[in-house]
Amino acid sequence: MKTEELDHAGRTVSVLRVKGSGSDLLTITEKGFTGMRMEDLLAARKIGSLDDIAMMEYLNKSKIDPSEPAPSVETFLHAFIPFKFVDHTHADSVVALTNTDLKDETLKKHLGNVVVFPYIQPGFKLAKAILERIEEVRKAEGIVLRKHGLFTYSNDAKDSYNKHIEIVTRAEKAISETTKGALFTPKYKESHIETAEFLPKLRGIVSGISRKVLEVNTSDSALEIADSEEAEELCKYGPTTTDMLIRTKHDFLYVPETARISELVEDYRQKYAKEHSEYASSYPMHDPNPSVFVIRGFGIVTQATSKRSAKIIMDDAVHSLIVGAKSRKLGKHEFVTRQEAFAMEYWPFQEAKLRKHLPGKFQGSVTIVTGAAAGIGLEAFRTLSMYGSHVIAIDIDPGISDAGKEVFEESGVENLAVRADLSNEDQIKEAMGLAVSKFGGVDFVFNNAGILKTAPIDLIDASEMDLMYRVNARGTFLITREAFRIMKMQEMGGAFVFNITKNLTNPGAEMAMYGTTKAFAAQLSRYVAKEGGKYRVRSNIINPDKVFRGSKIWEGGVLESRAKAKGQTVEQYKTQNLLGVEVLPSHVVGVMMALLDDSVFGATTDSMIPVDGGIK
Ligand code: ZN
């Protein structure tokens, strides 16, 4: 929208409000629209050409407020169109028509009074090309850019919008009249593939350079595409528009049988590396793994360094496959050349979109945290999420679901809050299955959950002993076994941290039930270290002592009675250590995070670290 605003000096200036690059129209607010000086933008009409860096600098200097986001790469185009309001979309139905060999005349017949442009990479060159035909543009209802989208414009906002809707509706009509019958021809009706069998393996294969999480789509429509006769051909079409290339890459990987997945991915990577050296060798190569997998008998899987990105790619992929299927019914499918595709995938403007989400150390990782609804577990859940790890947060406490929502709101990183009883094998298997179907696998486990009851040995009730064994020992074993299985399949290493407590080395009074069952878990950690070594799976123990904040284990008078047993006040009991400090959940979680981090403790396994302030 072109409008008038007061600048910082109180002068009235003519301003273009244009969408900031990389923002999402679903969630955009007025802050997402950058203000640009029209006088500066129009002055550029006289410039013959601007390379990408120069254009970026020019746009930066033309902002009325430097703190606003980088403006759309199509800013000049919006400025040069001589109308107050300009609407631009990449509507599927318009692109389905333009991603074909249909002649300009045919497109006009379908869409009405529009000016058709060939594919030109977005940026200054495209804006100048439009400027050259500005008189035609002025008289038309809109501009159709091949393999890109639609522009409409008017001095009246509603009028421009209506024209847009009309042209898109004409496109939809043309498609429905031409493409009779189903878009996809059913060909392969096979039995459903078991997810756990190949998803962790796939995750491991694509996680060579950085850890990835998967987005899995096994909906009926995804399966219809994957089982269709057209699927293999559609995977080579490229995405709907070139702005998707940075995330989806040009080719999707068609997988006719999951047994061949390693070999197919390797072929893909080799082809990608070859094309990179041919078309984009001046830039460091992106991760060469496919982003989109169309898997016969299963559905569609995408991978990225965060769940958020994997979901965007899934959205792009599903749209692209459907648009591609429409295009091939309308004419011969056409997209940009491979050289143009690489130019766009490696375009600095596009890379800036991804740089907004710099991968952190834990980005793309998946962590199991047990006992995650309160205390140390909740602190671990929160901290891991803030660092970008997707947490499967398990607790028997129904409060776990609220904790999951709160942590997501805080961190913006997706998690899975599961209410499960550690003593129930089926529930644990189900929770671990969810880790695989939702994120593709598991990297880290924080075995934290535990229950505590105290009694002198001669008064221990066998059923209480059994319960403590089922949760502290057997439950920890079940989580560990399931995660270990997944890590072996992934072949990408992993790390366990067992929260054992100082009871192991320094048994507390009347804690035989707790101490012995925790000792079971400690010995399990040692076996994980022993057997996991060759798979680069590390396992370490932390021994916190007297962590009271937020912990349920000390509720119900336990704290008071422990203090009394030692003949101390509660305050004395809390800080009774060499450092005289209260041990906080954040101390424990800090050590846990360091132990999971390969760059800190990558050469440490089968170790034990106290977090107790130093025992007196
Ligand atoms: Zn566009």
Side-chain angles (χ1 to χ4, degrees), residues 74 88 90 148:
E74 282 142 8
H88 171 47
H90 303 168
H148 184 159

